[in-house]
Each structure stands twice: as C-alpha cells, then as structure tokens.
Amino acid sequence: MDERQNKLLKAIVESYIKTVKPIGSKSLCKKFNCSSATIRNEMAVLESLGFIEKNHISSGRIPSEAGYKYYVEHLMKPKELTGEDVLKLQTIFKNNELELSDSINKTVEIISELTHYTSIILGKSSSENTLSQVNIIPISDNKIVALVCTDKGIVENKQFTLENEAEINEIVKTSEIINKMLVGTPINEVSKRLEFEIKPIISRQIKQYETVYNIFADAFNEFLNKRENIYFGGKTKIFNEPEYNDAFEIKQLASKFEDKDFIKRIEEEDGSAGEVKVYIGEENDFDPNVTIIKSKYKRNGEEGTIAIVGPKRMEYDRVVGLLEYLQKELNEED
C-alpha cells in the first residue's frame, strides 16, 4: 500500500479502537484534507485487500482481523508507559519482601487495572530448577512429611499417612537412593527418572516398594502441580467491553476461563523470553473472538507466560508497550 493508504488504515483502526463506531468517508475528509470521493476510493482499495469490512448495521467500515494484523505488524508503535504506570509496577518489583511468584501475581492485578482487560499468569518451574534434596521427616508413628527442595531454594512439602506395611526406614532408604542418583536432575525430569531408574532398584531392595514408590511419585507430582499455577487479574473485566453484550457469548467465554485445559492453550510455547507476540481472533487457540497478547518470562529459575486477553478491538500499542516494559523487568536476573 502507498503512504496515504497506510495512514488511512491506521486512522480507521485507531478510531474504531477508541470509539467502537464504524468509520465513514466523511469523518476522514478533514483529517486527510481530501474529498469524500477520494477517501471512498482509498477505502475501496483497503476493503479489496481485506483490511476493512462493512459493518452490518451501518454504511461505515470497521477493521478486519487482517487489518488489525497489518496494523500491528507495520503501523503500530508500542506506547511508552506513563510515570504513574511505572510507579505502580515498580512498587511491586522493588518490594524485597515479596517472593518472585507473589510479585508476578500482584503484577497481573496491576496489568488488568491499567488495561481494563483480563490478564493471566501461567507459571511453572523452569528446567533450570534442579533437584537439590529430598527429606523425609517422621511426625508420628504413621505419618511423615516429604520435603522436595531445588537448587533455587524452592521447597514444597506433602504429608502422608502410612499404611501399616510401609515402614519408615524403607522410605528413608529410598530417599537416600534418590538423593544419590537424582540430585542435579531438572525438576521436570525427576518423575520420569524416578519411574525408569529408581523404581527398578527399590523393587529389589524394598519389600513394599510399590507403596514407597507411590509416596515419592505423589510428592514430586504435588511439587510440579503447585509450580504450575494459573493466576487471573480482572477475570471479568473483558465483559465490560461493548463487544460483550450477548449473554450466550459471555457464558461461552466465562466457561473457558474456568476450564484449566482451555486456559493452558494460552501458554506460550514458541519463542524465547522477551518476545511479545500478538494472536488476533482465529490466530489463537483459545477463542476466535478475542485477541491474546502474550510473552514468556524467565527469572531466577522461574518461567511462565503473561497473557492479556481482550477484544479484537484492543489498544494494541498500550498493551504491547506494557508487556515490553514487563519483559525488561522480569528477565533481569537478581
């Protein structure tokens, strides 16, 4: 497209984002100092290219998915955060009393407050978290606590009530074997090695090896489940947007927010930490009527995905600018 068509598409997209009203040629004449006929001709070109489309309730035009995508890739510039926005986020990042996971969770609340969209954190332990130690602590005749520790200082515990045949000394012996063989293993590989390397060994040395094996398998699964957190900020904020005035559509999207399997489709698998990616409508695997802007983060052995979910008529420049700022903060190692 030529320069005027680029500027025209940019004006149409940004006007619709702001007003939620279809754009007619007359409203653009003054801005571009052109006749209505000239603007109509240029809009016809944009429509033939698939970047704008007719709104069914008026003669005006609105951006299409392709138009939004072209805008994001070629015309949009990320918007810098205001000093007030930076101050709100720095209050969280500079709070040394907060654990990293807590500061990230509080950040999504601020993101949602700043954007008025729904924000989501999908966090998990990174492969850089390696097993440091497994400890077994007896707390009564038939109860123990299994502690799983990583080299990054993450500790999770799970309490077990033992069956009569499961002797504590056998469990302690198994923990010693695990510590000898699996220390230094990436935490997300421990369960696999436990099954294929440790289980055959304890089957020859431990009488009730199935019971003992299940205790450690449960402890490691509990660790991984706790580290794979899903945290929302402003879960219902997206429903305040004018696009969501249909009860059925609201119900459909709300049900996806409650479905862990659907939410995990948002997780960013491609690319590296620091890249902000935009998935508009049919481009995302979550819902064809929304835009998802997301990015991976990785800091001090913790990694995950930050995602912002909003209508296709999203303030792309503001959201991308916000995520780019967060990336600079989150991907700096302490």
Side-chain angles (χ1 to χ4, degrees), residues 88-104:
K88 287 180 179 179
L89 291 167
Q90 286 296 327
T91 301
I92 301 298
F93 291 129
K94 301 302 181 185
N95 187 341
N96 295 325
E97 295 181 2
L98 289 176
E99 295 289 337
L100 175 61
S101 57
D102 292 332
S103 66
I104 291 173

Side-chain angles (χ1 to χ4, degrees), residues 55-189:
N55 185 281
H56 66 280
I57 59 173
S58 77
S59 60
R61 300 296 188 272
I62 63 173
S64 65
E65 281 191 17
Y68 284 123
K69 186 174 182 179
Y70 185 92
Y71 168 77
V72 169
E73 292 179 350
H74 302 286
L75 307 177
M76 180 207 75
K77 290 184 178 179
K79 185 180 291 186
E80 290 188 11
L81 272 65
T82 65
E84 184 180 355
D85 293 345
V86 170
L87 183 61
K88 287 180 179 179
L89 291 167
Q90 286 296 327
T91 301
I92 301 298
F93 291 129
K94 301 302 181 185
N95 187 341
N96 295 325
E97 295 181 2
L98 289 176
E99 295 289 337
L100 175 61
S101 57
D102 292 332
S103 66
I104 291 173
N105 290 347
K106 288 184 178 296
T107 297
V108 296
E109 296 176 0
I110 295 177
I111 293 172
S112 187
E113 176 189 329
L114 296 180
T115 63
H116 306 293
Y117 305 133
T118 297
S119 55
I120 305 172
I121 289 283
L122 294 98
K124 60 183 179 182
S125 279
S126 104
S127 57
E128 289 186 3
N129 250 297
T130 61
L131 180 65
S132 175
Q133 192 174 32
V134 175
N135 287 325
I136 300 299
I137 303 174
I139 56 176
S140 70
D141 290 341
N142 67 335
K143 289 184 179 181
I144 62 167
V145 172
L147 293 177
V148 178
C149 312
T150 78
D151 63 326
K152 303 297 184 182
I154 299 172
V155 179
E156 296 289 356
N157 66 81
K158 184 172 176 62
Q159 182 174 308
F160 294 92
T161 300
L162 303 178
E163 299 178 11
N164 294 330
E165 67 271 20
E167 298 180 5
I168 289 181
N169 63 342
E170 290 193 333
I171 296 169
V172 172
K173 184 177 181 180
T174 301
S175 72
E176 291 172 352
I177 294 171
I178 291 172
N179 284 328
K180 183 178 180 180
M181 294 184 63
L182 300 188
V183 166
T185 300
I187 199 69
N188 55 358
E189 297 177 15

